[in-house]
């Protein structure tokens, strides 16, 4: 067992020699061997006369777990005869280390204070207790349990991982301060334990503590202003582009103003004219002659007048019935036609009658 007292008896070795007298007198000793620059004779001792093996120091299982060496028994004959045996010393662990709570951290003997929102949901993690034990595997197994709790229906504790969770939501009847005492116990015999006290205070909203000396870095402000400038510039360019597109669409859709006098198409068909005001501007003699023939076949009179300040003509057609009577083949008919045409020429100025 570890933590032994220096000089404690470990075991006793016995050898037998069937010789007589001096030849059966036996001597025991440890065959020298070094382990980690330490001689076996500094750790163990054996009585030469009776073979009792003693420990010269206190052993710790967490540092030294086992030793392996040889012990020889030699008679006093000439020549001496001997025999040896292998000794295997195993240091057994003792539950000598108390569990140490490392989370939540607190100074020795102090109380841990934590804040949680009052609107915490059911099953939320409130805190976690972590303890370690320096003993071996069996003795270092830690289990957790509540030693004291304000409301046993409000919190649950996992006995293996130390997680504290809410079993239900907080109500207005629950006190604002909750006191939890958790004990961490190892698996040794006798069991050793450590406790931690947690004071939980519920708040209406999650509280985040910030230092008053904390300032926003200057680079953060510059970066924000730059983003603002970029957004404003992009918005302005987009607005101008939209206005330009709208103006272009309006100009495209606007109908052009109709001209007062559109030149006639030479290939167009001469429509039927019902009065002297219905006139056509002609600049080509061939086109004038074709119009004259077309109107004459319709039984109409054609009047041509030179246009002012130009080489073109204004051509008008006149129904033969204007100012006439149906007296075909008589002289008064010709006179009445010419009278009507003369009246037309007076209105138009210089003109030719055909």
């Amino acid at each position: 067992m570890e933590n032994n007292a220096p000089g404690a008896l470990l075991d006793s070795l016995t050898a037998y020699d069937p010789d007589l007298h001096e030849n059966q007198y036996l001597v025991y000793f440890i065959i020298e061997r070094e382990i980690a620059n330490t001689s076996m004779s500094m750790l163990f001792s054996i009585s030469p006369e009776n073979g009792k093996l003693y420990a010269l120091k206190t052993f710790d299982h967490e540092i030294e777990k086992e030793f392996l060496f040889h012990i020889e028994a030699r008679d006093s004959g000439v020549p001496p005869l001997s025999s040896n045996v292998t000794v295997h010393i195993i240091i057994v662990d003792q539950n000598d280390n108390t569990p140490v709570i490392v989370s939540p951290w607190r100074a020795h003997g102090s109380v841990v204070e934590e804040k949680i929102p009052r609107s915490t949901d059911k099953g939320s993690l409130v805190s976690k207790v972590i303890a370690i034990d320096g003993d071996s595997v069996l003795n270092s197994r830690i289990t957790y349990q509540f030693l004291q709790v304000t409301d046993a229906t409000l919190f649950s504790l996992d006995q293996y991982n130390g997680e504290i969770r809410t079993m239900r939501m907080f109500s207005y009847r629950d006190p604002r301060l909750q006191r939890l005492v958790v004990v961490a116990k190892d698996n040794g015999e006798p069991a050793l334990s450590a406790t931690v006290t947690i004071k939980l205070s519920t708040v209406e909203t999650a509280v985040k503590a910030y230092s008053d000396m904390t300032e926003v870095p200057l680079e953060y402000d510059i970066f924000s202003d730059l983003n603002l400038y970029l957004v404003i510039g992009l918005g302005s360019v987009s607005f101008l582009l939209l206005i330009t597109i709208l103006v272009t669409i309006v100009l495209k859709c606007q109908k052009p103003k109709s001209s007062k006098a559109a030149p006639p198409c030479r290939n167009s068909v001469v429509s039927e004219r019902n009065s002297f005001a219905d006139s056509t501007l002609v600049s080509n003699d061939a086109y004038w002659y074709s119009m004259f023939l077309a109107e004459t076949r319709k039984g109409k009179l054609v009047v041509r007048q030179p246009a002012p300040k130009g080489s073109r003509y204004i051509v008008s057609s006149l129904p033969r019935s204007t100012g006439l009577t149906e007296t075909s083949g008589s002289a008064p008919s010709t006179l009445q036609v010419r009278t009507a045409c003369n009246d037309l020429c007076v209105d138009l100025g210089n003109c030719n009658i055909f």
Side-chain angles (χ1 to χ4, degrees), residues 3 22 36 48 82 114 140 147 154 157 160 198 244 270 310 332 337 339 349:
N3 301 319
E22 296 179 355
S82 64
E114 295 185 1
S140 63
L147 191 61
L154 188 56
L157 175 63
Y160 298 110
I198 303 175
T244 303
V270 178
V337 171
T339 302

Side-chain angles (χ1 to χ4, degrees), residues 71-248:
I71 293 179
E72 184 175 299
R74 182 182 300 172
D75 62 16
S76 300
V78 179
L81 301 177
S82 64
S83 180
N84 63 69
V85 64
T86 300
V87 179
H88 189 192
I89 303 295
I90 299 175
I91 308 300
V92 180
D93 182 41
Q94 189 179 22
N95 190 29
D96 57 343
N97 292 299
T98 302
V100 178
I101 296 177
V102 296
S103 178
W105 183 89
R106 81 272 189 260
H108 181 69
S110 63
V111 177
V112 179
E113 295 184 358
E114 295 185 1
K115 296 180 180 181
I116 59 174
R118 199 169 184 83
S119 59
T120 302
D121 295 330
K122 175 183 177 181
S124 299
L125 179 65
V126 176
S127 183
K128 183 174 183 177
V129 180
I130 301 177
I132 58 175
D133 193 308
D135 291 324
S136 63
V137 177
L138 294 177
N139 292 330
S140 63
R141 291 179 178 176
I142 305 295
T143 55
Y144 305 90
Q145 61 184 15
F146 280 131
L147 191 61
Q148 294 179 8
V149 59
T150 303
D151 188 349
T153 65
L154 188 56
F155 300 101
S156 64
L157 175 63
D158 192 300
Q159 64 174 342
Y160 298 110
N161 57 25
E163 290 184 351
I164 301 176
R165 296 184 179 272
T166 55
M167 298 176 62
R168 58 176 175 83
M169 295 187 66
F170 289 95
S171 66
Y172 68 94
R173 296 181 180 178
D174 295 324
R176 303 181 68 88
L177 297 179
Q178 300 284 336
R179 185 172 183 269
L180 309 177
V181 180
V182 180
V183 57
K185 186 185 300 184
D186 64 15
N187 195 38
E189 289 293 340
L192 302 178
S193 63
T195 60
V196 59
T197 301
I198 303 175
K199 285 186 177 180
L200 297 176
S201 58
T202 58
V203 294
E204 296 300 329
T205 56
V207 178
K208 295 183 179 180
Y210 292 98
S211 174
D212 296 337
M213 300 301 294
T214 304
E215 295 181 357
V216 178
L218 181 60
E219 291 77 8
Y220 181 80
D221 294 337
I222 294 177
F223 183 74
S224 297
D225 293 340
L226 180 60
N227 282 344
L228 180 60
Y229 296 149
L230 290 176
V231 171
I232 293 175
L234 182 60
S236 301
V237 172
S238 301
F239 178 75
L240 292 177
L241 179 60
L242 180 60
I243 293 298
T244 303
I245 293 175
L246 291 177
V247 171
T248 303

Side-chain angles (χ1 to χ4, degrees), residues 10-44:
L10 301 180
D11 204 348
S12 179
L13 283 79
T14 301
Y16 172 74
D17 192 326
D19 291 332
L20 301 176
H21 308 297
E22 296 179 355
N23 292 335
Q24 66 176 0
Y25 181 71
L26 301 177
V27 178
Y28 302 91
F29 58 91
I30 298 175
I31 299 177
E32 285 296 332
R33 182 186 177 188
E34 290 186 359
I35 297 179
N37 298 324
T38 302
S39 175
M40 287 293 102
S41 59
M42 298 178 63
L43 301 177
F44 304 98

Side-chain angles (χ1 to χ4, degrees), residues 281-285 304-314 350:
L281 186 63
V282 178
S283 60
N284 189 292
D285 292 338
R304 183 176 71 173
Q305 179 190 12
K309 298 181 182 179
S311 59
R312 294 177 295 179
Y313 302 94
I314 297 177
N350 187 18

